[in-house]
């Protein structure tokens, strides 16, 4: 079983990488981008039967800094 964990900064937390991407997009002539928030994608290859609670525990203990980041888990049952 595979799972994807999407980690993003909470709203209100300064996102310098997102600002840099936004600035670069404007520099390349792309208009209409109001804001950019950058994050990270972590793909996990897990043993069958790994529970959602176990994945959440991994996120809270290592994969995300829950003080400043949110996370979302996407399970890929047949991947």
């Amino acid at each position: 079983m595979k799972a994807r964990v999407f980690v993003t900064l909470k709203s209100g937390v300064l996102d310098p990488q997102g600002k840099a991407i936004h600035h670069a997009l404007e520099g390349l002539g792309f208009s209409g981008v109001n804001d950019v928030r950058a994050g990270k994608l972590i793909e996990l290859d897990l043993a069958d039967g790994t529970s959602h609670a176990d994945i959440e525990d991994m996120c809270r203990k290592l994969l995300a800094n829950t003080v400043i980041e949110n996370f979302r888990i996407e399970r890929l049952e047949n991947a």
Side-chain angles (χ1 to χ4, degrees):
M1 178 191 76
K2 293 191 177 188
R4 291 180 179 149
V5 177
F6 299 88
V7 180
T8 55
L9 290 170
K10 291 181 177 178
S11 66
V13 174
L14 183 64
D15 181 0
Q17 185 179 17
K19 294 291 182 200
I21 294 168
H22 187 210
H23 181 73
L25 288 171
E26 287 178 335
L28 291 171
F30 293 101
S31 61
V33 179
N34 295 325
D35 192 22
V36 176
R37 301 289 288 176
K40 58 187 170 187
L41 165 65
I42 301 167
E43 291 187 338
L44 302 171
D45 188 353
L46 301 163
D48 290 340
T50 302
S51 71
H52 192 81
D54 285 340
I55 301 169
E56 281 191 8
D57 204 26
M58 292 176 203
C59 292
R60 292 185 203 294
K61 289 182 176 174
L62 179 68
L63 303 178
N65 178 350
T66 57
V67 174
I68 61 169
E69 296 173 324
N70 292 316
F71 64 86
R72 178 174 57 87
I73 299 166
E74 178 182 289
R75 295 171 65 108
L76 308 170
E77 299 294 340
N78 296 324

